[in-house]
Amino acid sequence: MADQRTVRRTAGIVAGLLIALVFLLVIVPGALAIGLKLLGIIDASYARSALRLTVPIAFAGMGGIFAEKSGVINIGLEGLLIISAFSAIAVMWFIGGGGTGARMIALFGGVLASLVVTLLFAIICIEFKADQIIAGLAVWLIALGFAPFGSIVIWETVNSDSVGSFDSLAMPLLSDVPYVGDVLFTATPPVFLMLAAVPFSWYLLNRTAFGKHLQASGEDPRTLDTAGVSVRKVRYMGVLLSGLYCGIGGAGLALNAGQFAGGGETITSGRGWIGLTTYLIANYNPVGAFLASFGFAGLDALQLQIQGVPGVELSSTLIEIIPYVAVLVVLAFVGKTRMPESAGEHYESEE
Amino acid sequence: MIDQRGVRAGDEGRESTYAVKMDGITKRFPGVVANDDVDFAVERGTVHALVGENGAGKTTLMNILYGLYEPTEGTVHVDGVPREFDSPRDAMDAGIGMIHQHFMLIEPMTVAENVVLGAEPTKLFGLLTDEDAAVEVTRDLAERYGFDIDPTDRIRETSVGEQQRVEILKALYRGAETLILDEPTAVLTPQEVEGLYGMFDELLGEGKTIIFITHKLGEALRAADRISVLRDGELIATVQAGETTREELASMMVGRDVLFDVSSKAVELGDTTLAVEDLVVDDDRGIRAVDSVSFSIDDGEVFGVAGVDGNGQAELVEALTGLRSAESGAITFDGADVTDHSRRQRIADGMSYVAEDRQHRSLVMEYDLLRNGLLGCQRLPAFSNGPLVDWEATGQYVDDVLEQYDVRPPDRSALARSLSGGNQQKFVVGREFERDPSLVVAAQPTRGVDIGSIEFIHNRLLDLRAEGAAILLVSSKLEEVQRLSDRMAVMYDGRFMDVVDPDEVTEEEVGLLMAGEQPDGGAGDR
């Protein structure tokens, strides 16, 4: 798999990120000095917090791959994160109590809510042949309106009450591995789910019949149809998988924080959009999408920690620009991202 | 050969000698009867050709056999057993495989992945696909039928001939006993066509049955044992290939005698309509495509440009019609210098253009014929009403074209996409010709068009000439240029090798010119 093209691509992405960093250094006065100070921040707790912040981005990114590979562009990822984040907290609040078990039920509730909205989106796009971009935007806008509204109904303000967050669990044996164990295997359930989802997604896409059908459906649905596989079913599965992933991502984000914040861009603050950029950067490879998510989350975590460093003032908006600059650089200069041939196009089986 | 096959079919001792038998098949689409009570039977172990003009219903009939369409009436028997196919999967299960004209392959996937798509070998209790098994099974199949192909190549790295072999392997992998090939030679080079016939022999050797659709009579006669002719959705006849002739088949196909020779060359030249001087044009990559070409065309003259595709003809045509700017040189049209005129101005000047690629350049496939009829004319006074389009005038114009050019269906609300290739082209030709042009630039006007429509288009071209229009005919079909032109240029590597009299010149001489050589070593460059 690690052929020359992949290597070149990776090199290009690293270059892209470096260019983005230089861009940052140039526009922020005194950035170099800050950079040196920041090096001191990076430690195990920083890595853990970065990993936690990766959850929503990586799930949105990996989920988006399934939908788009099947030929349905799902730009509603951000909306699905919001819906599931809100629903998970609401479920948590209603069942009350603490404990990891209750939180898993809340997570499941978030996933369910995301799946319902996704199913609606899928029906609109596949059965009624709506424009996928517009339908995706609608998902986001509806979520952006509905979640804070729901919050007000339940808690009388756009922000929910605090319901407590996931506790870190230590995986037996694995957590004792030096360095890695502390970061990767002492974490919250959503982080574990994410770490499992990365190889799972890769295998599903590349080593199963379903993955091949997914790819064929996005490239040339007619061929798949004539091969005797229902394009409709494959596309439903692809889109619903994106809903499942966003559900875990959004619920995981909220339950890691223990609260739903509904002001402005809400608690997700654009992470679904960043997820969208990660799989474009990674050319639809879930492993790459995860790594890109981790990179962006790392910057995000950095930005949070910088607030605590005296004498450094860095606008968080500038940090937030980085993923978009990086995606522009990658698309423009590395340029090997190839969308599925029929992505965004409706398919109508003949009779 | 035929005897051997007969014996083989008998040996298998099945109850029917017909691999496929279709009885009384009728297929109606809204407003169209595509197949009308067709009885079609194919003997096992033979090659059966299905011929007919574009739109005669060949592909529809085969799509029914392959389960893509359900027949409105009629029954399908496979190996003597009546069958009803709801989907291609049912047809495949019954041993029918189809290779479509436009290949159904997933470009980024490998040969092996494409062959097994939809029926992947798996391991780990069906959880994972078995990539090695897919490669193995593809390699075995390819070896058995003598196909030279690497299962691990990606489709986008393979040639058209190889892709066709992948399609055949796909059908064989699904257990096809009867293979349907839709216009299999349309995309192949002459050498690849011979290779395809070789594959037919290999397949027959393994007891397979082959049905192939074509509108090229020579191919049917060359490769098939029996030939069925469809016309307007009806089966006209099924004949033994050895007992018929090209002329007989052609008249069955078209429904009247076809003259394979259209000609009338009474030339009365008028003034010079188009004069081109030292025209230089670059292609998209900035490479010189047309290298100082000069010529002129008079009123009532057909000037032909022959040559192998890709020697600058396309760029020459684009420069003349205003789609590409010239690097240098001058184009004079009706006495005025139009070198810098836009496409729109040239249309207004009276320049018509039948483009080489009708689906991309001449028609909007998702528009109906009314709106397609307006394309290019939308600024002409005859079609406008102040700043608005005069739809009434447009409608009349389109109806005229539909009637005079025998476009089927003659329905201005039909989408361009729904017409067969021949009818699309007749419509485009009609739209461009009826505008009363003083110059027609016709690029490959009969490419991918059936015999009946070719004859029709040729006749209209000559009519237009008789009316005094100047015509530039660019075609890679030498016989077409030779038959219709008054003067003929042979283009090679961006230059005119020579301008010759098509009646005087021999095919050998033109062949040499097309290859960039001067016959008799004379002349030198012009």
Side-chain angles (χ1 to χ4, degrees):
Chain A
M1 278 290 121
D3 55 19
Q4 244 186 325
R5 236 179 300 163
T6 320
V7 172
R8 228 179 306 147
R9 185 179 182 81
T10 317
I13 288 167
V14 170
L17 288 171
L18 281 178
I19 292 172
L21 200 68
V22 170
F23 164 83
L24 194 76
L25 291 177
V26 169
I27 60 166
V28 181
L32 262 175
I34 301 170
L36 290 173
K37 275 187 194 172
L38 293 182
L39 282 178
I41 296 174
I42 297 169
D43 58 10
S45 101
Y46 164 77
R48 269 199 301 273
S49 115
L51 211 51
R52 259 202 310 280
L53 286 170
T54 310
V55 170
I57 306 177
F59 271 114
M62 293 187 290
I65 294 176
F66 290 111
E68 196 152 324
K69 273 274 177 189
S70 82
V72 180
I73 302 172
N74 184 356
I75 67 160
L77 302 171
E78 170 80 0
L80 298 173
L81 288 185
I82 297 174
I83 287 285
S84 58
F86 165 76
S87 306
I89 295 298
V91 170
M92 192 67 214
W93 188 78
F94 280 117
I95 57 179
T100 302
R103 289 195 172 76
M104 287 310 284
I105 294 172
L107 183 99
F108 183 74
V111 168
L112 209 64
S114 167
L115 279 175
V116 168
V117 176
T118 310
L119 183 65
L120 226 68
F121 169 77
I123 291 172
I124 288 170
C125 288
I126 298 170
E127 302 300 332
F128 298 105
K129 303 185 174 27
D131 187 292
Q132 295 166 5
I133 301 300
I134 293 175
L137 276 178
V139 167
W140 176 51
L141 291 171
I142 288 169
L144 204 55
F146 173 78
F149 170 74
S151 288
I152 292 170
V153 169
I154 302 173
W155 299 288
E156 290 173 349
T157 142
V158 291
N159 298 327
S160 77
D161 294 351
S162 179
V163 294
S165 56
F166 265 123
D167 300 318
S168 279
L169 304 175
M171 285 269 233
L173 295 177
L174 283 173
S175 58
D176 296 333
V177 178
Y179 305 111
V180 187
D182 200 26
V183 175
L184 288 182
F185 300 108
T186 310
T188 59
V191 173
F192 290 137
L193 280 174
M194 172 180 72
L195 294 177
V198 177
F200 171 78
S201 307
W202 190 88
Y203 265 91
L204 191 59
L205 272 174
N206 296 294
R207 287 289 179 270
T208 65
F210 172 70
K212 309 277 180 192
H213 297 170
L214 211 57
Q215 190 180 356
S217 162
E219 291 292 338
D220 188 353
R222 226 167 106 69
T223 296
L224 187 66
D225 198 14
T226 30
V229 178
S230 162
V231 174
R232 257 180 79 231
K233 275 187 204 155
V234 170
R235 290 197 164 174
Y236 269 113
M237 284 303 293
V239 178
L240 284 175
L241 271 171
S242 74
L244 172 75
Y245 274 50
C246 285
I248 303 175
L253 169 73
L255 291 167
N256 275 338
Q259 194 194 16
F260 176 79
E265 290 183 300
T266 78
I267 184 174
T268 61
S269 63
R271 289 193 177 84
W273 298 113
I274 296 172
L276 209 122
T277 68
T278 61
Y279 71 75
L280 290 177
I281 289 174
N283 199 19
Y284 302 89
N285 181 337
V287 179
F290 165 72
L291 292 176
S293 304
F294 185 61
F296 292 144
L299 287 171
D300 203 9
L302 204 60
Q303 178 254 124
L304 288 177
Q305 303 227 347
I306 289 169
Q307 317 297 347
V309 179
V312 177
E313 282 176 45
L314 185 56
S315 161
S316 64
T317 349
L318 278 177
I319 302 275
E320 283 165 15
I321 294 173
I322 290 180
Y324 303 104
V325 174
V327 89
L328 281 178
V329 170
V330 169
L331 293 183
F333 299 109
V334 188
K336 283 280 158 58
T337 296
R338 189 187 154 281
M339 271 179 75
E341 196 73 30
S342 305
E345 287 172 22
H346 300 298
Y347 177 69
E348 195 164 3
S349 181
E350 293 177 40
E351 290 200 16
Chain B
M1 263 311 246
I2 290 169
D3 279 344
Q4 275 178 352
R5 285 174 206 160
V7 169
R8 184 175 292 110
D11 282 346
E12 287 176 10
R14 296 192 202 159
E15 61 269 38
S16 173
T17 59
Y18 291 117
V20 169
K21 198 162 180 300
M22 301 175 81
D23 291 325
I25 299 289
T26 297
K27 176 67 189 175
R28 290 193 197 92
F29 291 109
V32 190
V33 181
N35 287 145
D36 189 1
D37 195 21
V38 171
D39 295 321
F40 177 70
V42 181
E43 276 182 50
R44 186 176 298 113
T46 63
V47 178
H48 199 120
L50 189 57
V51 303
E53 296 189 88
N54 291 334
K58 300 168 300 214
T59 303
T60 305
L61 187 67
M62 288 302 104
N63 280 344
I64 289 171
L65 182 54
Y66 189 55
L68 277 171
Y69 296 149
E70 252 175 80
T72 316
E73 284 163 35
T75 53
V76 176
H77 295 257
V78 177
D79 288 329
V81 183
R83 297 275 197 168
E84 270 183 39
F85 300 146
D86 290 331
S87 72
R89 177 150 248 171
D90 295 345
M92 278 185 263
D93 290 344
I96 308 281
M98 184 157 176
I99 288 93
H100 292 84
Q101 189 174 1
H102 302 287
F103 295 145
M104 303 248 181
L105 298 170
I106 309 292
E107 297 255 316
M109 289 191 179
T110 66
V111 169
E113 283 173 324
N114 269 283
V115 167
V116 301
L117 184 72
E120 292 84 355
T122 54
K123 56 185 180 185
L124 263 179
F125 314 106
L127 281 178
L128 300 182
T129 49
D130 192 337
E131 312 277 321
D132 296 337
V135 170
E136 201 56 38
V137 85
T138 307
R139 184 166 287 139
D140 285 351
L141 269 177
E143 271 168 20
R144 188 162 142 210
Y145 291 95
F147 295 178
D148 177 24
I149 199 152
D150 183 346
T152 59
D153 279 350
R154 294 202 180 271
I155 294 297
R156 70 160 85 89
E157 291 153 9
T158 57
S159 71
V160 175
E162 284 173 315
Q163 292 179 9
Q164 190 168 52
R165 289 193 282 270
V166 178
E167 284 280 20
I168 294 174
L169 287 177
K170 242 170 92 176
L172 293 170
Y173 172 72
R174 290 300 192 89
E177 288 299 317
T178 301
L179 288 160
I180 308 164
L181 292 99
D182 190 356
E183 304 270 5
T185 59
V187 290
L188 301 182
T189 65
Q191 288 76 16
E192 285 174 326
V193 170
E194 282 307 312
L196 178 72
Y197 295 154
M199 275 187 265
F200 282 5
D201 288 337
E202 298 281 345
L203 291 165
L204 291 175
E206 295 281 332
K208 307 291 181 192
T209 306
I210 295 166
I211 305 172
F212 80 102
I213 303 177
T214 182
H215 60 244
K216 294 180 190 157
L217 299 175
E219 283 172 6
L221 287 164
R222 158 82 174 74
D225 299 312
R226 308 180 87 207
I227 302 171
S228 290
V229 183
L230 274 180
R231 187 209 317 151
D232 289 340
E234 289 180 57
L235 191 105
I236 302 303
T238 297
V239 295
Q240 296 285 344
E243 296 166 7
T244 187
T245 61
R246 200 175 138 90
E247 284 72 21
E248 189 189 19
L249 285 175
S251 70
M252 284 195 281
M253 244 169 84
V254 183
R256 59 188 151 78
D257 288 339
V258 175
L259 298 172
F260 275 99
D261 199 14
V262 183
S263 63
S264 66
K265 287 186 176 168
V267 196
E268 212 172 287
L269 296 184
D271 299 334
T272 299
T273 303
L274 180 80
V276 174
E277 255 174 82
D278 292 326
L279 186 69
V280 176
V281 188
D282 287 352
D283 69 10
D284 291 336
R285 297 160 298 170
I287 296 167
R288 192 121 307 174
V290 177
D291 196 359
S292 74
V293 161
S294 303
F295 65 97
S296 66
I297 312 178
D298 295 340
D299 292 348
E301 185 185 28
V302 178
F303 184 83
V305 177
V308 178
D309 267 0
N311 273 294
Q313 296 98 319
E315 288 79 8
L316 173 65
V317 163
E318 286 172 2
L320 291 179
T321 51
L323 292 166
R324 185 182 285 276
S325 53
E327 298 302 310
S328 64
I331 302 168
T332 314
F333 179 47
D334 274 342
D337 184 352
V338 298
T339 317
D340 295 323
H341 280 197
S342 68
R343 170 95 192 106
R344 182 174 147 192
Q345 275 170 304
R346 290 188 211 206
I347 292 173
D349 292 343
M351 209 186 261
S352 271
Y353 174 35
V354 177
E356 177 174 336
D357 183 349
R358 60 178 163 265
Q359 303 207 345
H360 287 111
R361 283 258 162 108
S362 300
L363 295 167
V364 177
M365 302 308 282
E366 301 299 322
Y367 273 13
D368 58 22
L369 295 182
L370 178 65
R371 286 186 287 168
N372 268 303
L374 182 68
L375 287 186
C377 310
Q378 63 274 21
R379 306 279 186 179
L380 300 182
F383 294 90
S384 26
N385 199 347
L388 304 175
V389 170
D390 184 346
W391 287 110
E392 210 164 302
T394 308
Q396 268 167 16
Y397 180 76
V398 168
D399 286 344
D400 270 0
V401 168
L402 294 179
E403 194 193 318
Q404 290 186 35
Y405 288 79
D406 188 30
V407 179
R408 278 172 282 178
D411 172 9
R412 57 159 105 149
S413 63
L415 292 187
R417 182 165 52 87
S418 68
L419 268 59
S420 70
N423 281 307
Q424 288 173 358
Q425 188 69 354
K426 282 195 281 187
F427 179 75
V428 170
V429 166
R431 179 185 75 197
E432 297 296 324
F433 284 13
E434 288 305 294
R435 224 182 258 170
D436 197 20
S438 45
L439 172 73
V440 173
V441 178
Q444 315 286 2
T446 60
R447 177 172 283 176
V449 169
D450 55 276
I451 298 181
S453 305
I454 291 176
E455 190 193 10
F456 185 87
I457 291 170
H458 283 174
N459 281 327
R460 302 308 300 214
L461 210 66
L462 293 174
D463 289 349
L464 205 66
R465 182 187 68 156
E467 288 164 20
I471 293 160
L472 178 74
L473 171 67
V474 179
S475 175
S476 50
K477 291 187 206 164
L478 179 56
E479 47 158 347
E480 179 173 74
V481 184
Q482 210 165 356
R483 195 186 308 144
L484 298 172
S485 304
D486 299 308
R487 285 184 301 145
M488 175 170 92
V490 182
M491 199 160 182
Y492 173 78
D493 199 19
R495 293 162 177 268
F496 282 177
M497 290 299 292
D498 204 350
V499 178
V500 296
D501 180 340
D503 294 332
E504 303 282 313
V505 76
T506 67
E507 218 163 281
E508 287 71 36
E509 286 167 339
V510 179
L512 281 173
L513 290 170
M514 282 166 71
E517 287 171 44
Q518 291 290 352
D520 312 330
D525 46 8
R526 299 168 53 112

